[in-house]
Amino acid sequence: KRGFMLCVSGPHPLTRRSAVQSLDLRISPLLCEPRCVVLLGHGLHDEDLPVRKAVVHIMGRLTQHNPSHVVPALRKFLIQTLTELEYSVEQRQTEDATEMLSSMSVHAHQLVEPYAGAVGRCLLKSLKEATAADGGGSHKLLSSIMGAFAQLSDVSGQEVKQLLPELVPLLVEAIQAHGSGASSMKRGQLEQAYRALRMVIENTGRILDLYDRHPSLLPFLIDNLRSDAHSGDWHHRQQILRCVGALGALEPAVFERLASSSASKSLDPAAVGDGPAIALLEGESNSPMWPWLSSGYHYGRPNPEAIEHGNVLAAHAVAALLKMLKDASLVALHSQVAVALMKIFKSLDQGCLLFLPKMMAAFVQVARTSEAGERVVMMRHLAEVVRIVRSSIASYLHSIFDVVRIIWNDASQRRMSDDVRKNTTLALLSLLEEISLCRPHALKAYLGEVLPSILSFLQMNRA
């Protein structure tokens, strides 16, 4: 106990920080004693911010063991922190207060939950003031406030939901004000804005009207993601991907409607909505809002029949994947693209027949030109396609057996290693088996070409 008291009250901040951070679960029974709780309470007012955070972490853990002594001290500190945040005139004190509120939301969430409404209103007021003063060195403060909001939404999403009409426009403005051209100092603020928007949406569940209120948000996020594709800042791209994943996607038809409405609003000076976000669309109303959705990433246009049958998202996904499959510069990704296509086909079942012509053309082309190892994978995928579409494969048997003949000629002339030749032959046999099950009569026309190769393979592998 004497050593603990000496370390916690030491003159050097690094000593105190190390001492407090070393108080793990093994000595929790000792820390629950009233004298130690009082001593830890003094640490809540330490001059060093990491020390105060570590003390909050420990006392939040101790609320499960001795709440009668720990909770009053933490509650008093919470009220003092809120007062400091609301009335402080120094930026550093405001930053420290938001950091402590974020730490308490993580480690003492049961204590913060009854006060979540008051904490949220106080944070929202500070966020408005910091946003109005942005550019005056308040980037760290904005990041701290948005991080605190993200953690508070984890504590009580219902209380934060009441603040969404005022909170979400501020987060969207923070995201769209800087974009991909943010400096290194503002990059942390931008990542916190992505994280805060994602967590607030996840914990409140309010997503249905978000795109109606901010129609340019999702296009902006996708464009920002594309512009950062080769910047090497993976952490920044990861935050954008998580944000887009939480927001969800829209059908292209709905998406075009919202994009068009946002473009029309940008031409109306009296329009209100996204604020600075609308300025991003000014002067671009004559250009397509989503070039990547209509021509940029697609292998042509999606099948019109698929759109009529409601498979809009599948049509766009298949079109984009097929273009990647035909791109020779992306040969390293062909196996992953094929796996993604097969997952889509399996989920659609017979609905995949709408995409079968283009898919078979792409698969056959890749099987003709790929290396031996990739041919094995493509043959297995072709077998799965035959298993799914059944008798509809009849129109493509000629092209399939052309590829089978080429691959078997290479295998018989020993242009590949024994293991690869064996795996290739087994994959071809699996393909032939599926064809024989669904189109046994059509197989007879090609059996004369493949039967000698099959017998030769069996002869060489009698063991």
Side-chain angles (χ1 to χ4, degrees), residues 56-324:
V56 167
H57 186 187
I58 294 173
M59 296 190 72
R61 187 177 74 226
L62 296 181
T63 54
Q64 306 294 328
H65 303 281
N66 191 3
S68 61
H69 286 84
V70 178
V71 171
L74 279 178
R75 185 185 296 115
K76 181 179 179 181
F77 178 68
L78 174 62
I79 296 173
Q80 291 175 352
T81 304
L82 287 175
T83 304
E84 183 179 352
L85 176 63
E86 187 170 2
Y87 297 106
S88 176
V89 295
E90 295 187 9
Q91 181 177 322
R92 182 176 179 181
Q93 292 182 353
T94 306
E95 292 175 3
D96 291 351
T98 55
E99 291 281 352
M100 293 309 303
L101 286 175
S102 180
S103 182
M104 294 184 72
S105 298
V106 174
H107 303 297
H109 55 90
Q110 292 181 347
L111 172 68
V112 177
E113 187 173 1
Y115 305 93
V119 174
R121 289 188 293 271
C122 191
L123 286 173
L124 183 61
K125 178 183 176 183
S126 300
L127 182 60
K128 291 180 179 179
E129 295 174 353
T131 303
D134 192 13
S138 58
H139 308 304
K140 185 178 179 182
L141 176 60
L142 278 170
S143 300
S144 301
I145 296 175
M146 289 186 288
F149 254 121
Q151 298 299 337
L152 183 64
S153 66
D154 245 350
V155 174
S156 179
Q158 293 298 322
E159 294 293 341
V160 176
K161 183 185 295 185
Q162 302 175 9
L163 307 174
L164 287 184
E166 298 178 82
L167 173 61
V168 172
L170 294 174
L171 296 178
V172 173
E173 180 180 350
I175 290 174
Q176 295 180 328
H178 305 298
S180 60
S183 61
S184 58
M185 181 173 59
K186 294 184 178 180
R187 187 57 65 93
Q189 173 187 338
L190 190 58
E191 292 177 0
Q192 283 292 349
Y194 288 132
R195 179 172 176 267
L197 180 62
R198 170 178 62 84
M199 293 186 65
V200 165
I201 295 301
E202 286 179 350
N203 293 312
T204 59
R206 291 298 298 274
I207 189 175
L208 297 179
D209 59 346
L210 184 62
Y211 291 135
D212 291 328
R213 294 178 180 272
H214 308 279
S216 63
L217 176 59
L218 189 58
F220 183 85
L221 291 175
I222 299 297
D223 293 338
N224 197 3
L225 182 63
R226 292 180 62 193
S227 65
D228 282 348
H230 303 288
S231 65
D233 191 354
W234 168 242
H235 184 69
H236 181 67
R237 296 191 65 217
Q238 189 179 44
Q239 292 297 334
I240 301 177
L241 288 171
R242 288 178 175 177
C243 187
V244 173
L247 293 175
L250 290 175
E251 291 187 2
V254 180
F255 207 65
E256 292 291 342
R257 177 176 58 80
L258 291 179
S260 301
S261 65
S262 66
S264 61
K265 287 183 180 179
S266 67
L267 302 177
D268 184 7
V272 292
D274 279 354
I278 299 300
L280 298 170
L281 303 175
E282 292 181 355
E284 299 181 1
S285 58
N286 295 328
S287 61
M289 292 301 303
W290 284 90
W292 63 272
L293 196 58
S294 58
S295 60
Y297 284 169
H298 278 186
Y299 173 65
R301 290 186 174 273
N303 194 330
E305 296 182 2
I307 297 178
E308 293 177 2
H309 284 75
N311 296 326
V312 181
L313 298 179
H316 285 275
V318 170
L321 290 170
L322 286 177
K323 183 179 180 182
M324 296 178 64

Side-chain angles (χ1 to χ4, degrees), residues 375-396:
R375 283 177 173 178
V376 176
V377 178
M378 296 307 299
M379 289 298 103
R380 291 171 180 169
H381 288 321
L382 281 174
E384 292 185 15
V385 171
V386 174
R387 188 183 305 118
I388 295 172
V389 302
R390 307 301 295 173
S391 59
S392 301
I393 201 65
S395 303
Y396 310 97

